[in-house]
Amino acid sequence: MNIAIQMIKNKKLLIDIIVGARPNFIKVAPIFKIYKNNKKIKKKIKFRLIHTGQHYDYDMSEIIFKQLKIPKPHVNFNIGSGSHAQQCAKIMLKYEQTLIQKKSDYCIVVGDVNSTLACSITAKKLNVKVIHIEAGLRSNDMTMPEEINRIVTDSISDIYFTTSKYAVNNLMKEGVKKKNIYFVGNIMIDSLMNSLDFIKKPEIFKKLKLENEKYILLTLHRPDNVDNIKKLKNLILNLPSKDRLKIIFPVHPRTKRLLKNIEAHFKFINFIDPLSYFEFSYLLKKCLIVITDSGGVTEEATVYSKPCITVRNNTERPETVIDGTNILVGNHYKKISNFINKAYKGKWKRSKIPEMWDGKTATRILKILYNFQ
Ligand code: UD1
């Protein structure tokens, strides 16, 4: 064989994997889990893990790396908090330098956070092909920063890995060629399934005398819900305040700042620090019902068959409502107590696990990457 052709054939692909925020870490862990023990793939692909530092607290980042055995990043840009423009600009400058020093063949971005947007644009401008995991989600709500991030990222991606047929349809409606879309399933569920033997009862379970299926788990962090104190108060006031069910609220740092002034008024809620992935999974698996504004939590609740109320008017993950356990209440907070009663009486809607949320998504993704040149 011609030496030049042989060299091209043997060329190892350098693929960047970008992570920045808590849900990103959970979505890439399954790729490394499989990669670690697969000599064949290792021969063909080298990953360069890049942490932008968008999330930086121990509870928001390091603990998840430890629990999910994610390798140490090649580099951490340590960009920290800031406005959207500040975060994106800092990430773009740093990633551009990284790519100029050593250009990769592909750049994998996941989800919809600012790190996803910033790195996809930077890679594309340097002619690095962009692969988007969790592509095609659409809430059709352009007031959400995540929706802007998704749409921009998908508009410049080369390869699309999707979690559902709804996402495939969204991309095709926007003109993406079918041959570039791969319906591979939900990689976050790989992490959930890989962790089933490791989920861990948090200390507060004993401290607060929690009992299985006798408490409500609450998570809120979206700007639309937590940046407006009046709205946040109104939401909390519509939660059951005295009776049989305890409310546990692991507070995201963003929400913590805002709650500082009002926490004292809501003694019936147990505000706790963010939990590790294994501990949060435990609380979710054992709760009666979860009330949330996180997309990822609605997916996990569906797989655990846990009743789930989303305090948003829309979702980019319709399968969690159509197939899963999720219902949307939007701003109609008064409905919440009725739904809690339904869960209490065991009268939640029937649900099933969406197609290909089977814990094998990372395997499918790596198989596809292996065949890339
Ligand atoms: C980001 C994502 C959101 C995702 C969420 C998961 C964007 C636009 N949003 O929102 O899609 O659902 O992550 O958690 O990218 N903070 C800390 N410590 C940290 C991280 C954040 O104290 O480790 C505080 C800072 O005050 C910061 C605020 O939280 O200003 C918000 O953080 P940021 O990364 O801007 O957005 P999130 O709300 O976490």
Side-chain angles (χ1 to χ4, degrees):
M1 196 186 298
N2 174 316
I3 292 180
I5 296 175
Q6 179 76 47
M7 272 173 67
I8 291 172
K9 277 205 141 182
N10 293 341
K11 189 186 156 234
K12 219 174 187 180
L13 289 180
L14 178 62
I15 304 184
D16 286 344
I17 297 190
I18 309 296
V19 292
R22 184 167 58 175
N24 297 162
F25 313 140
I26 301 164
K27 287 171 198 167
V28 304
I31 295 182
F32 289 104
K33 183 169 189 283
I34 291 173
Y35 179 78
K36 201 171 63 188
N37 300 316
N38 193 315
K39 281 192 190 139
K40 199 173 139 201
I41 298 176
K42 274 183 157 169
K43 251 188 174 167
K44 173 86 187 276
I45 296 174
K46 183 175 190 282
F47 286 120
R48 186 166 63 173
L49 179 62
I50 294 179
H51 191 330
T52 64
Q54 180 176 346
H55 283 178
Y56 45 86
D57 284 350
Y58 179 80
D59 289 346
M60 301 290 286
S61 173
E62 203 177 322
I63 181 88
I64 304 172
F65 271 72
K66 275 193 187 149
Q67 290 189 334
L68 299 185
K69 299 196 167 64
I70 304 169
K72 197 172 161 351
H74 168 80
V75 59
N76 188 326
F77 296 157
N78 290 313
I79 62 114
S81 302
S83 71
H84 289 263
Q86 282 168 339
Q87 279 187 333
C88 291
K90 282 188 196 164
I91 295 170
M92 289 172 91
L93 286 170
K94 296 263 186 182
Y95 188 39
E96 189 181 51
Q97 275 173 14
T98 307
L99 285 176
I100 289 170
Q101 269 166 20
K102 191 167 171 59
K103 194 169 157 181
S104 55
D105 298 292
Y106 291 90
C107 167
I108 294 185
V109 292
V110 294
D112 53 19
V113 302
N114 286 342
S115 307
T116 312
L117 171 83
C119 289
S120 59
I121 295 176
T122 311
K124 191 70 180 175
K125 290 221 171 186
L126 289 172
N127 290 323
V128 173
K129 291 206 174 83
V130 176
I131 300 173
H132 188 195
I133 296 184
E134 206 183 80
L137 302 192
R138 296 291 178 268
S139 65
N140 297 310
D141 175 0
M142 286 296 269
T143 64
M144 281 177 79
E146 294 84 356
E147 182 73 352
I148 301 168
N149 294 346
R150 290 178 202 121
I151 290 178
V152 176
T153 301
D154 283 339
S155 73
I156 55 172
S157 291
D158 297 275
I159 303 293
Y160 303 80
F161 289 127
T162 70
T163 50
S164 73
K165 55 182 192 261
Y166 304 102
V168 174
N169 286 343
N170 291 335
L171 291 169
M172 291 192 42
K173 268 196 269 166
E174 290 170 17
V176 175
K177 290 200 182 90
K178 203 172 174 190
K179 69 174 177 52
N180 296 329
I181 305 174
Y182 299 87
F183 174 24
V184 289
N186 192 333
I187 199 158
M188 212 165 180
I189 302 311
D190 287 23
S191 268
L192 184 150
M193 291 185 178
N194 292 340
S195 306
L196 286 176
D197 290 341
F198 305 103
I199 62 171
K200 189 171 132 200
K201 192 187 271 196
E203 269 174 27
I204 51 108
F205 205 90
K206 213 170 156 193
K207 206 165 142 197
L208 299 173
K209 298 196 178 80
L210 300 183
E211 289 175 62
N212 290 353
E213 316 227 317
K214 295 224 170 97
Y215 62 91
I216 299 169
L217 183 60
L218 175 66
T219 86
L220 298 169
H221 76 283
R222 297 220 173 256
D224 184 46
N225 282 322
V226 299
D227 286 3
N228 179 338
I229 279 289
K230 221 168 134 189
K231 203 170 160 192
L232 184 60
K233 267 188 175 171
N234 192 11
L235 196 169
I236 295 180
L237 280 172
N238 275 284
L239 299 172
S241 61
K242 28 188 154 3
D243 45 12
R244 60 230 179 215
L245 294 168
K246 292 195 168 128
I247 303 175
I248 315 301
F249 186 178
V251 185
H252 183 286
R254 169 186 204 101
T255 322
K256 200 176 225 167
R257 263 191 333 223
L258 296 144
L259 279 175
K260 241 186 197 152
N261 307 325
I262 57 169
E263 222 171 300
H265 302 296
F266 299 111
K267 291 247 159 53
F268 63 98
I269 294 186
N270 298 286
F271 297 95
I272 60 171
D273 285 336
L275 292 166
S276 70
Y277 179 68
F278 290 165
E279 289 172 320
F280 183 79
S281 259
Y282 187 96
L283 275 197
L284 181 57
K285 192 161 184 236
K286 308 284 180 185
C287 72
L288 171 72
I289 187 166
V290 58
I291 303 174
T292 190
D293 62 2
S294 149
V297 172
T298 66
E299 297 177 335
E300 292 166 343
T302 283
V303 173
Y304 280 137
S305 299
K306 278 292 145 185
C308 175
I309 298 176
T310 295
V311 279
R312 287 175 51 197
N313 289 309
N314 50 52
T315 175
E316 57 290 330
R317 294 162 164 92
E319 62 279 16
T320 62
V321 176
I322 296 164
D323 294 335
T325 55
N326 188 18
I327 53 144
L328 304 178
V329 297
N331 300 335
H332 305 287
Y333 304 140
K334 292 212 166 16
K335 289 185 183 169
I336 292 177
S337 62
N338 275 343
F339 281 120
I340 293 174
N341 270 331
K342 264 194 174 177
Y344 196 73
K345 290 181 186 152
K347 290 189 172 156
W348 207 253
K349 62 175 175 166
R350 286 171 74 96
S351 66
K352 62 175 185 193
I353 296 179
E355 201 183 339
M356 282 216 260
W357 291 20
D358 56 0
K360 296 184 181 131
T361 295
T363 308
R364 288 189 276 268
I365 289 177
L366 279 165
K367 241 187 200 161
I368 295 164
L369 295 181
Y370 183 79
N371 289 315
F372 284 177
Q373 294 305 323

